[in-house]
Amino acid sequence: MPPVTKKSEAPRSDARARLLATAAQIFYREGIHAVGVDRLVSEAGVTRATFYRHFPSKDDLVRAYIELEDRALRDLFAASAAHVSSPEDALEVVLQGIAQDVQEHHTRGCPFLNAAAEFPDPQHPVRRAVRVHRDWFAQTLSELVGATGREDAAQVARALVLLRDSALVGAYVDGSADVVPAFLWTAHQIIGEPQHGAGR
């Protein structure tokens, strides 16, 4: 990325990306409501005018941050699917990816749950963005599980979503050393034996 050419302004071509990258780091590390626009524009190296040109409000930036996290996971799923030869392998890649994410990347809990906790209105645009992600995640897991031949795919997917939520929160509070192995063990128990007709 080219250096900032002026103290008060980043090049216009990358100003939005800088704002979004800065927000993603700070929002996840410190929380959303605790971070003001002045802090964001200062650390991103842009002016307030540039901020509002790209994001009419802070909430618009928060929604873009949630959508950025969502796209990153969708891209990861797509990349993983390109390197497997069976539905079972695809599901295992996803589980290992979640374990790695919990251990190495999202070490302060789930960014979607964290954001939802700060925006209690389920109709708020940020909460709707969180809902879009969670619906996609559950549906994708259901399709992966269903491809292995299980008839209770939707129920298994819901259980895996819940398990991932727990792993992200648990690893933040208790550390990942015990939580990640417990996550993988439990996930394999859940997907181990078909439960025909369950959840119907």
Side-chain angles (χ1 to χ4, degrees), residues 62-112:
V62 177
R63 183 178 60 186
Y65 154 61
I66 294 300
E67 291 170 347
L68 178 70
E69 291 279 2
D70 175 63
R71 285 196 301 274
L73 284 176
R74 290 179 189 241
D75 290 346
L76 182 62
F77 269 56
S80 298
H83 296 90
V84 295
S85 57
S86 71
E88 290 79 9
D89 288 344
L91 191 54
E92 182 62 25
V93 166
V94 168
L95 295 180
Q96 294 296 332
I98 293 172
Q100 183 177 9
D101 183 48
V102 170
Q103 193 165 17
E104 299 179 9
H105 303 297
H106 287 122
T107 57
R108 294 181 62 84
C110 174
F112 304 100

Side-chain angles (χ1 to χ4, degrees), residues 28 98-99 101-103 106-114 134 137 141 157-184 186-187 190:
Y28 184 67
I98 293 172
D101 183 48
V102 170
Q103 193 165 17
H106 287 122
T107 57
R108 294 181 62 84
C110 174
F112 304 100
L113 294 181
N114 293 349
R134 291 179 67 80
F137 185 57
L141 286 175
R158 285 192 291 270
L160 292 175
V161 170
L162 181 60
L163 186 61
R164 175 180 177 267
D165 290 343
S166 300
L168 283 162
V169 175
Y172 173 47
V173 175
D174 300 325
S176 62
D178 293 328
V179 170
V180 167
F183 162 77
L184 289 171
T186 307
I190 291 171

